[in-house]
Amino acid sequence: MAASVPNQPSHFLNKEESFMYDREGRYKMQDTMNAARIEYTEKGVMNLASRRCDIVKISMSGAILAILTQYNLPKQFYLDIPDARIKKVGCVLMKVFPNNTIEVRFLSLLTEKEMNKIFVYSTHPAHRNHVLDIRG
């Protein structure tokens, strides 16, 4: 029988969840500057709140968001990127930084096509030469 760690319940999911995220591939964050909107429910399911933010860095699996003012965010919310016409990207709040930025992780990976659309509409100088591919 395995020895249990004090103050931690011995449950098979504790090991599985940790193992799953440790094995997940890492994607490099790229600088960008896109307007976005955080949407979440307040007070149960009755009131949908929306807050403006900017995407500062993004990868296929997560992003760094700059928020304008400090407010309490839930652990899970949706991210909309209106310029690129990307709606309802499920996010999990990973870390809150003191300079009004947060790190989020996407619940599903963004595709290459979505990443290209984000870079096309980015105002960051590194993406000045990106063009929108309208084929297929």
Side-chain angles (χ1 to χ4, degrees), residues 21-29 59 61 94 105:
Y21 287 115
D22 290 343
R23 296 263 321 235
E24 182 179 329
R26 302 284 180 217
Y27 296 94
K28 185 176 182 268
M29 289 270 190
S59 74
S61 63
M94 298 300 286
R105 194 166 182 131

Side-chain angles (χ1 to χ4, degrees), residues 78-121:
Y78 290 109
L79 182 69
D80 283 349
I81 310 166
D83 291 342
R85 292 188 174 91
I86 299 173
K87 296 183 186 272
K88 301 264 187 208
V89 178
C91 296
V92 176
L93 182 64
M94 298 300 286
K95 196 172 188 179
V96 178
F97 298 105
N99 61 347
N100 286 352
T101 58
I102 57 173
E103 181 179 355
V104 299
R105 194 166 182 131
F106 301 140
L107 294 178
S108 61
L109 294 177
L110 294 179
T111 64
E112 287 289 334
K113 188 174 183 179
E114 290 172 326
M115 291 292 288
N116 188 42
K117 282 171 61 176
I118 290 168
F119 293 146
V120 164
Y121 292 105

